[in-house]
Amino acid sequence: MTRRLRTAAAAAVLSAATLLPLAVSTTAAHAAARVDNPFVGAGVYVNPEWAAHAAAEPGGSAVANQPTAVWMDRIAAIAGGNGVMGLRDHLNAAVQQAAGKPYVFQVVIYDLPGRDCAALASNGELGPTDLPRYKSEFIDPIAAILADPAYANLRIVTTVEIDSLPNLVTNAGGTATATPACDVMKANGNYVNGVGYALAKLGAIPNVYNYVDAGHHGWLGWDSNLQPAIDTIKQAATASGSTVNNVQGFIVNTANYSALHEPNFTVNDSVNGTSVRQSKWVDWNYYVDEASYAKAWRTKAIASGFNSNIGMLIDTSRNGWGGANRPTGPGPKTSVDAYVDGGRIDRRFQTGNWCNQSGAGLGERPKAAPEDGIAAYVWVKPPGESDGASSAIANDEGKGFDRMCDPTYTGNPRNNNNMSGALPNAPVAGHWFSAQFQELLKNAYPAVGTGTADTTAPTAPTGLAATTTASSAALTWTASTDNVGVTGYNVYRGGTLVGTTNSTSYTDTGLSASTAYSYTVKAKDAAGNLSAASAALSVTTASGGTSDTTAPTAPTNLAATTTASSAALTWTASTDNVGVTGYNVYRGGTLVGTTAGTSYTDTGLSASTAYSYTVKAKDAAGNLSAASAAVTATTQAGTGTGGAGCTATYKVSSDWGAGFNADVTVTAGNTAIKSWKVTWTYAGNQQVTNLWNGTVSQSGQSVTVTNAGYNGAVAANGSTSFGFGASYSGSNATPTLTCTATS
């Protein structure tokens, strides 16, 4: 399918069916064709075991009817027994709840060999080399049950293998946070091949929708992590006989606590000339909440070859952060840290904290199509189930003791050595934790019983303006504001809704020449609140002979990564008065390709060779933009050269006229390296003032950066990064970088 993910005009709350006696018809049925978003127009299974736990808690009956996922986290869970429901029991109950109507059944697939190599609390029963058992004893039996015709009318949504693939990016291969267990799993390939096998086996079932875990913004939001994570998941999605067609989307924040929206600051804010990205909390991340991260992930995943109709799920089961400690506005502008810490919704010590977090609350209730590009808010982690034990507890489930679940623990490099923030007296992972459930109820946002805490509509859009052709009107306006966050805009022609968008522009097409039209725009938020209409704008289309003579803006932020024979280019989209239709890519001034997206890979290049690239945007009328700023990409050394090589890419992340911040990514060639050095010469008067993750020296316009003690070793084709701040006046052209390495 090539259609984009559709969203409802108003977010539909996922219905929670009344729990019914367990019975199922054995009449075979044919599964309906897959839809873009399985949650739209469907009920969702309420797990009666979780519902009973919740209802038994004081105040818990208010949320006991919410749908939660069923976890297959060990082989024994498939059959169940001893009073515990197995997979078939849950599916039979789901068929009964559905009563013949469209219905979603959510199941977590979570038992990879060497599971969760960076955290002990969720270690599994299978050893690092037990891939054959994973296939034959875990995936195959699950697939056989899900394929039963008795369940063909259910929309079965899987969450595939939490945490494992992201661990290969951040916690293996010579990174500062690497663990020996993750190094083993990266080397043996069993995460990649196991996930590929699961996707292929489950994806062959017509009514199964696979959503692969994509971490969260506080783990993978940096450039050095996000694209490599997408690449790793794509590697798994095309392993063991699978293809990207077996991936219907991704899920973020699974069993985590990252805030859905941070309403009191953005990554583009600055305090006294200091970017919010420099705050201790944000730590140079490009994303401050899960909604922005999920949407960016989706865009980048599609650009990387995943299908254009993929959707994103966000686990909101424990990211509400309400209660008395929820900030009501921005922090003071005395410093960038005070501004962020005083206004942030997420109250953890650090975004790396993941175990039974104190102060957390229930988040947004499960909801279909709540925002553009988001398929649903879901409760995958059942609230009240422990993340891990506060102290060592013997068990037969293969789950170890992780100090991140100990409230006295002072941390490790993965949470920048902060306190763990965990609740005391927690049981083993997956067991009921009454104190945590009560904490989540107390701090719920929206508050329990209110349905939604957000009843404030966005402000009305202002500054509505338009340019026209004979058959279209290109509208622009000034963004609205909202107490939580604007999620999109409705565009009306003569009072009739003609389109929606999550940006501040929209082009209405198919109009008649020389005709007057009236437009208004309304803003909307995630709770469905709609603003007042903007002031009406009357426009008249051009006569039939009028043509578009306005060229698009030049593409910006052109960047490249290389192999020995290719250069993968990305850039920020251009804008146009009517619409950008594509881009021309030039190597050394010669046109080498065109694309409709914001990425292009130039192949057939020579190893260890520098190439210069520019990009121009074009519109339907044939207008061509000015060229982007040039970027120089040096291909890696070819195999068999006997030496180690590296490449470096340079990207300005923020620029305020008198200074800027930049990030540099160092990528090893086909041979692992032990140390690296990056050099460049500025064309202007740029002066590096501070640098992190490396050692810098500068003489005049020449800059040399060598690795720090912890990031010199980089695996073959692996990456590391450093960043810096600098001052300047005048122009700030991107320099050409040279990277050298020793093996």
Side-chain angles (χ1 to χ4, degrees), residues 17-18 20 43 45 92-104 153-154:
T18 303
L20 299 173
Y45 176 60
N92 291 345
V95 171
Q96 194 72 5
Q97 288 183 21
K101 298 177 182 178
Y103 219 67
V104 171
N153 285 331
L154 295 174

Side-chain angles (χ1 to χ4, degrees), residues 101-188:
K101 298 177 182 178
Y103 219 67
V104 171
F105 177 81
Q106 300 176 94
V107 59
V108 177
I109 307 299
Y110 186 44
D111 200 25
L112 270 180
R115 188 180 76 191
D116 208 348
C117 55
L120 300 175
S122 49
N123 286 166
E125 62 189 348
L126 300 179
T129 60
D130 282 340
L131 183 61
R133 289 190 62 198
Y134 175 75
K135 293 178 178 180
S136 64
E137 297 179 41
F138 186 67
I139 295 300
D140 289 355
I142 289 175
I145 293 172
L146 298 186
D148 190 321
Y151 312 128
N153 285 331
L154 295 174
R155 299 175 182 179
I156 300 172
V157 170
T158 66
T159 292
V160 179
E161 295 297 352
I162 301 163
D163 294 344
S164 297
L165 294 173
N167 270 321
L168 300 184
V169 175
T170 62
N171 298 323
T175 64
T177 53
T179 68
C182 289
D183 285 334
V184 167
M185 298 317 300
K186 185 168 186 174
N188 69 22

